[in-house]
Amino acid sequence: MSKTIRDGFGEMMVELGQSNPNLIVLSADVSESLRLGEFKRTFPEQYVELGISEQNMAGVAAGIAMTGKTVVMASFAAFNPGRNWEQIRVSICEQNLDVKVVGGHAGLATGADGATHQALEDIALMSVLPKMRVVAPSSFVEAKAATAALVASPGPAYLRLSREGREKIGESKKSFKLGRGQILRRGGRAMIIAYGLTVELALEAATQLYQDEALSVTVVNMATIKPLDKQLVINLARQNSGVVVVEEHQEIGGLGSMVGMVLAKAGLKVALEIVAIKDSFGESGTKAELFLKYGLNVSRIKECVWRAIEKAPTASDD
Amino acid sequence: MEKNKLKQLEQVAGQTRAKVVETIQAAGSGHLAGSLGMVEVFTYLYHHVLSVRPQEPEWSERDLLFLSAGHLCPTLYVTLASKGYFDSDLLLTMRRLDSPLQGHPRRQVKLGIENSAGPLGQGISMAVGAAYQLQQEKSKRRVVVISSDGEQQEGQCWEAYLFAAHYQLKNLTILIDCNGIQQSGAVKSVMNLEDLKSKLLAFNLAVGVCEGNDLLALDTAWKELADVPYPKVLLCQTTAGKGVDFMENDYHWHAGMPSEAQWEEALRQVQLSKEQDVKDD
């Protein structure tokens, strides 16, 4: 049985549907791709098909939420948010309604469908909206927990899902907590912060750096991008002055830019490297090919760790 | 409609029209053409049709009125005040810092306001969503949404109509302010809607047409559509700027502001009509 990130979302939705008659799910003609087929079949009264009309979907979600329901509205991240950003801004955020925007097939991992379907701007689009929380789980298990946490937390939220992913990442016994970063590995001198599919790349890079180069770095899974766990970033940056952020998203407006703002505002002596999409669109390819081509790979991460360490001011520079 | 009731509604409409002019004058900005044109529609809905409780604005069984053409809010605000949701003194604060009566409505204010509005097309989608859920629950509550002809240029409206027809939302009525004008000129010249009635019929909605400034005509049209088992649209043919002779049918007054002398004349005309309504008793 497939246990990707989107599978985790779909499975939890069915569990939540059992106990929650006030949970209404909307989809814009992509129910199977978002793993909502099971929910649709099991709870037909709680599922609404919108057809290929994402703007109307956002308004309908708001209208249903206004009658007292919790609404989950799902489509591909390129269109939801994206096409209906303004509707999310006003109908959902300004009115502060209990609607969860679910953006599936996010990032390059969408693969063969190509650039138009690869959402690389969605984190920026959602983070900039007042009232909106932004979460990007890294595994099947984390997607389940994140879905449950967001449905239980009233108010607007964005859940970014990949079509790929593994059952679980790392041996961390800590479960998902909204608004908290998760330390997956403790080291020093440098830290790698990631979310979604890049978390396992970060861990792999850390493992290789330790085994091959005797460098032990910290790895953080920043599953909640907004609200950002600023305290964790600042605390860790005191011991890990080389900071590398890795994301399947544009560099502009991504987590890296937000971490940079936190570090600079705190006046910390750190250096930042960002491994992300450098202001370009994606293209067709397999996930592996695309990650390699666009620099989302272990060797690039390792390079950036060393660059950050070299750039970072050391005690002797004082 | 019974003669006394009609008389009463006409008086309310006359008072509302005058108050709309005063309110926009006090604010220094606002949308006169549409607000004046839609006085009868708001009066009819709030004072004759909608099941609401001004003292209990969140009454769980209330009918829902969504304002999608948010720029018509001066008339919404004046009507809500006349219905008793809040004191009419508040109207003089419209559009000012910290006023609950913002330039475009905000849902969080409550006071009878159901939705935030302004970006066109959005209120219609909210209305169809609410109507869908209420119909699922077999509720008797009705959903009404006020829109405008210019608003039909937004594609989202038509997405909402597809949905309304697909799910056969019988509890939904959309009233469209057809005054033929918008910010930049006549609707025909800016982006021609052509035969709007036929377009809506083709989307499988029931469509009525009436003189939007004639309370009796509104009542007749409303009753004709009432039991039709389809989502309903009522095209209200209104006169932009109704009640102020130099504003009528002139698109410049969509958002344009009068000079001091023009304000005086506008007030004189609407206050005179108001007094006339009372005298005719």
Side-chain angles (χ1 to χ4, degrees):
Chain A
M1 198 220 128
S2 178
K3 298 215 180 218
T4 61
I5 290 167
R6 58 172 160 159
D7 290 324
F9 164 70
E11 192 170 287
M12 179 51 74
M13 286 305 297
V14 174
E15 283 177 40
L16 293 172
Q18 319 273 17
S19 50
N20 196 344
N22 281 332
L23 179 61
I24 308 291
V25 174
L26 274 48
S27 180
D29 196 34
V30 289
S31 56
E32 294 297 339
S33 314
L34 271 284
R35 297 297 186 255
L36 288 169
E38 192 55 39
F39 186 98
K40 181 169 142 181
R41 286 182 285 279
T42 316
F43 311 105
E45 299 284 286
Q46 292 172 241
Y47 176 86
V48 192
E49 180 58 64
L50 269 293
I52 311 166
S53 303
E54 296 81 7
Q55 295 183 10
N56 186 47
M57 179 168 73
V60 166
I64 294 176
M66 281 155 126
T67 69
K69 309 292 175 207
T70 296
V71 181
V72 169
M73 74 168 190
S75 183
F76 292 165
F79 319 127
N80 177 58
R83 199 167 191 118
N84 56 7
W85 183 86
E86 208 246 312
Q87 286 78 8
I88 293 170
R89 174 179 184 260
V90 175
S91 295
I92 293 166
C93 289
E94 197 280 343
Q95 300 197 114
N96 200 18
L97 293 172
D98 198 11
V99 177
K100 322 301 168 184
V101 180
V102 177
H105 279 46
L108 288 176
T110 310
D113 274 351
T116 61
H117 284 53
Q118 291 162 350
L120 300 171
E121 304 80 16
D122 53 313
I123 298 294
L125 286 176
M126 289 291 94
S127 297
V128 78
L129 288 175
K131 305 273 192 279
M132 181 62 82
R133 281 82 54 84
V134 178
V135 172
S138 59
S139 68
F140 170 88
V141 163
E142 189 165 52
K144 288 191 70 171
T147 300
L150 288 178
V151 167
S153 174
Y158 175 56
L159 180 67
R160 181 195 225 217
L161 300 176
S162 176
R163 65 189 291 238
E164 306 283 329
R166 293 198 282 114
E167 185 172 355
K168 54 185 172 192
I169 307 272
E171 300 306 323
S172 173
K173 294 199 169 61
K174 273 194 281 179
S175 54
F176 173 82
K177 252 183 143 177
L178 186 58
R180 291 264 171 273
Q182 203 182 48
I183 301 173
L184 296 180
R185 193 183 187 288
R186 281 191 186 274
R189 300 184 71 195
M191 64 171 165
I192 312 171
I193 308 175
Y195 60 86
L197 290 182
T198 56
V199 173
E200 54 180 315
L201 296 178
L203 276 173
E204 181 56 32
T207 302
Q208 288 185 18
L209 282 167
Y210 185 65
Q211 283 170 358
D212 304 340
E213 300 175 77
L215 175 65
S216 177
V217 301
T218 302
V219 177
V220 177
N221 170 19
M222 198 63 87
T224 306
I225 292 97
K226 184 187 184 190
L228 184 60
D229 194 347
K230 296 180 190 159
Q231 211 45 64
L232 182 69
V233 170
I234 290 170
N235 289 345
L236 289 175
R238 296 191 203 284
Q239 273 94 52
N240 301 269
S241 53
V243 182
V244 179
V245 179
V246 189
E247 56 191 317
E248 202 188 351
H249 188 273
Q250 300 292 351
E251 182 177 50
I252 297 171
L255 176 66
S257 71
M258 299 176 206
V259 165
M261 179 168 74
V262 168
L263 296 171
K265 285 176 80 174
L268 296 171
K269 295 186 184 342
V270 297
L272 178 66
E273 287 287 327
I274 300 176
V275 178
I277 309 303
K278 311 283 183 174
D279 203 30
S280 92
F281 293 104
E283 59 182 290
S284 288
T286 64
K287 176 199 160 220
E289 288 167 342
L290 291 168
F291 272 42
L292 188 62
K293 180 168 179 179
Y294 285 82
L296 300 181
N297 55 69
V298 172
S299 50
R300 176 65 64 87
I301 296 172
K302 291 193 294 180
E303 264 173 45
C304 285
V305 167
W306 283 117
R307 271 223 294 275
I309 288 173
E310 268 148 50
K311 271 195 309 192
T314 54
S316 60
D317 288 347
D318 283 337
Chain B
M1 192 192 301
E2 192 218 354
K3 216 165 158 224
N4 282 343
K5 182 73 208 209
L6 179 61
K7 196 78 217 150
Q8 188 220 340
L9 290 178
E10 280 169 354
Q11 280 180 3
V12 174
Q15 287 157 8
T16 299
R17 184 160 272 114
K19 208 69 183 157
V20 164
V21 174
E22 289 166 31
T23 300
I24 297 179
Q25 184 193 30
S29 63
H31 298 79
L32 282 161
S35 299
L36 287 171
M38 285 295 274
V39 164
E40 281 73 23
V41 171
F42 277 93
T43 300
Y44 178 72
L45 289 171
Y46 276 96
H47 290 272
H48 194 61
V49 170
L50 297 174
S51 184
V52 291
R53 289 183 183 167
Q55 304 310 316
E56 204 188 324
E58 283 161 86
W59 174 41
S60 60
E61 288 305 303
R62 70 190 187 284
D63 288 338
L64 293 170
L65 183 137
F66 288 86
L67 177 58
S68 191
H71 59 284
L72 301 176
C73 64
T75 312
L76 173 68
Y77 295 155
V78 172
T79 305
L80 290 173
S82 74
K83 189 73 184 165
Y85 281 90
F86 52 84
D87 199 280
S88 59
D89 284 348
L90 202 57
L91 293 169
L92 296 173
T93 70
M94 184 180 81
R95 287 182 161 239
R96 300 214 182 284
L97 185 66
D98 297 328
S99 171
L101 304 183
Q102 296 273 292
H104 283 82
R106 294 196 75 186
R107 179 174 182 267
Q108 68 184 53
V109 159
K110 303 187 185 177
L111 300 179
I113 296 164
E114 296 290 355
N115 65 295
S116 294
L120 296 174
Q122 294 198 31
I124 300 180
S125 288
M126 292 179 215
V128 308
Y132 171 88
Q133 189 59 36
L134 291 175
Q135 185 158 284
Q136 280 290 101
E137 294 168 6
K138 302 191 179 6
S139 168
K140 296 257 185 315
R141 297 166 70 187
R142 291 171 299 181
V143 179
V144 173
V145 53
I146 296 183
S147 175
S148 72
D149 45 7
E151 181 165 22
Q152 308 313 301
Q153 292 162 359
E154 282 288 0
Q156 185 176 355
C157 302
W158 302 90
E159 293 182 14
Y161 301 151
L162 287 177
F163 183 99
H166 183 85
Y167 291 106
Q168 297 167 67
L169 303 178
K170 303 182 249 308
N171 56 353
L172 175 72
T173 307
I174 303 157
L175 293 99
I176 302 182
D177 174 21
C178 295
N179 64 9
I181 61 116
Q182 58 188 106
Q183 173 110 342
S184 308
V187 173
K188 265 195 247 244
S189 327
V190 174
M191 187 52 63
N192 199 345
L193 294 174
E194 305 277 3
D195 184 350
L196 182 58
K197 178 175 176 181
S198 298
K199 288 176 171 162
L200 294 164
L201 285 170
F203 271 66
N204 219 18
L205 310 174
V207 186
V209 185
C210 71
E211 283 292 315
N213 295 117
D214 180 337
L215 284 157
L216 203 54
L218 272 169
D219 186 54
T220 305
W222 180 272
K223 289 197 175 95
E224 268 170 18
L225 281 176
D227 296 320
V228 173
Y230 284 91
K232 302 166 252 285
V233 181
L234 185 51
L235 298 179
C236 304
Q237 290 167 334
T238 66
T239 300
K242 176 86 179 168
V244 180
D245 60 16
F246 63 87
M247 288 186 182
E248 292 190 359
N249 294 307
D250 184 347
Y251 75 87
H252 292 98
W253 301 107
H254 169 81
M257 282 294 103
S259 65
E260 261 199 61
Q262 287 173 319
W263 273 124
E264 255 186 67
E265 178 55 20
L267 277 166
R268 192 193 67 78
Q269 289 185 20
V270 293
Q271 273 156 7
L272 187 63
S273 302
K274 182 176 82 171
E275 276 144 41
Q276 260 161 2
D277 285 337
V278 178
K279 278 216 196 92
D280 291 344
D281 261 338

